[in-house]
Amino acid sequence: MLREKIYIASDHAGFTLKQEITKFLQEKNIVFEDLGPFSDDRCDYPDYAHLLSSKINEKSFGILVCGSGIGMSIAANRHKNIRCALCNEPLSAKLSREHNDANVLALGARLTGIDMTFEIISIFINTSFSGGRHHIRISKIEERL
């Protein structure tokens, strides 16, 4: 794994998948912190996207889960230094890391099966940023915030 810690959060629609992901991370001995929610009671995804985004640094990744992944990714990307990628298949996870240095992964619980989710996460956390011309492009994104 390229980072020391993973933060994970969801909304009510992503709660069950988040629970499966935490089991997967435990089985792989990956250090993580579950930021909630801790039940499937209705809640608002921006609250959890903002909480997780506030904790991300160069030593961590984030995983956000909601019904489609779209709301979480929009909310997370409002934060400086957050590059949240919504990935529904492995190639997007790979390219988001290599080309965009994505540091937060958004997943749609209603769109992605459990095995595919685990494959996406594995690729995301184990793929390095390519740098070079991609670094220049990321700098142009950050200078606008």
Side-chain angles (χ1 to χ4, degrees), residues 8 10 23 41 44 61 77 102 125 133 136:
I8 185 167
S10 72
K23 289 179 200 172
D41 294 342
D44 297 325
F61 280 132
N77 279 319
I125 65 174
R133 70 183 189 275
I136 294 167

Side-chain angles (χ1 to χ4, degrees), residues 69-87:
I70 295 169
M72 286 289 202
S73 64
I74 291 170
N77 279 319
R78 302 282 304 190
H79 291 261
K80 186 173 178 62
N81 298 317
I82 297 297
R83 290 171 305 283
C84 180
L86 172 57
C87 300

Side-chain angles (χ1 to χ4, degrees), residues 119-145:
E119 186 176 351
I120 290 166
I121 292 169
S122 294
I123 289 171
F124 187 88
I125 65 174
N126 290 301
T127 299
S128 297
F129 175 51
S130 296
R133 70 183 189 275
H134 303 294
H135 182 72
I136 294 167
R137 294 169 182 158
I138 290 169
S139 296
K140 289 182 178 186
I141 293 169
E142 294 300 321
E143 71 187 25
R144 297 284 183 168
L145 296 176

Side-chain angles (χ1 to χ4, degrees), residues 1-3 5-7 21 24-25 30 52 56-57 60-64 77 81-107 116-129:
M1 187 173 93
L2 299 172
R3 309 279 170 108
K5 186 175 192 175
I6 296 175
Y7 293 97
I21 293 168
F24 171 77
L25 297 174
I30 296 171
L52 183 139
I56 299 299
N57 60 38
S60 61
F61 280 132
I63 300 174
L64 291 167
N77 279 319
N81 298 317
I82 297 297
R83 290 171 305 283
C84 180
L86 172 57
C87 300
N88 294 313
E89 39 66 40
L91 182 58
S92 294
K94 182 178 189 294
L95 294 174
S96 73
R97 288 287 308 127
E98 286 181 345
H99 295 194
N100 310 115
D101 198 17
N103 52 11
V104 177
L105 173 63
L107 297 164
M116 182 71 73
T117 295
F118 296 161
E119 186 176 351
I120 290 166
I121 292 169
S122 294
I123 289 171
F124 187 88
I125 65 174
N126 290 301
T127 299
S128 297
F129 175 51

Side-chain angles (χ1 to χ4, degrees), residues 4-40:
E4 294 177 5
K5 186 175 192 175
I6 296 175
Y7 293 97
I8 185 167
S10 72
D11 67 357
H12 56 282
F15 176 76
T16 300
L17 182 58
K18 178 179 68 89
Q19 297 303 100
E20 292 300 318
I21 293 168
T22 60
K23 289 179 200 172
F24 171 77
L25 297 174
Q26 284 175 330
E27 289 170 5
K28 300 290 184 187
N29 294 315
I30 296 171
V31 176
F32 71 94
E33 183 176 342
D34 185 345
L35 301 174
F38 301 104
S39 77
D40 62 359

Side-chain angles (χ1 to χ4, degrees), residues 54-68:
S54 72
K55 295 190 175 286
I56 299 299
N57 60 38
E58 64 280 346
K59 295 181 179 183
S60 61
F61 280 132
I63 300 174
L64 291 167
V65 189
C66 66
S68 68

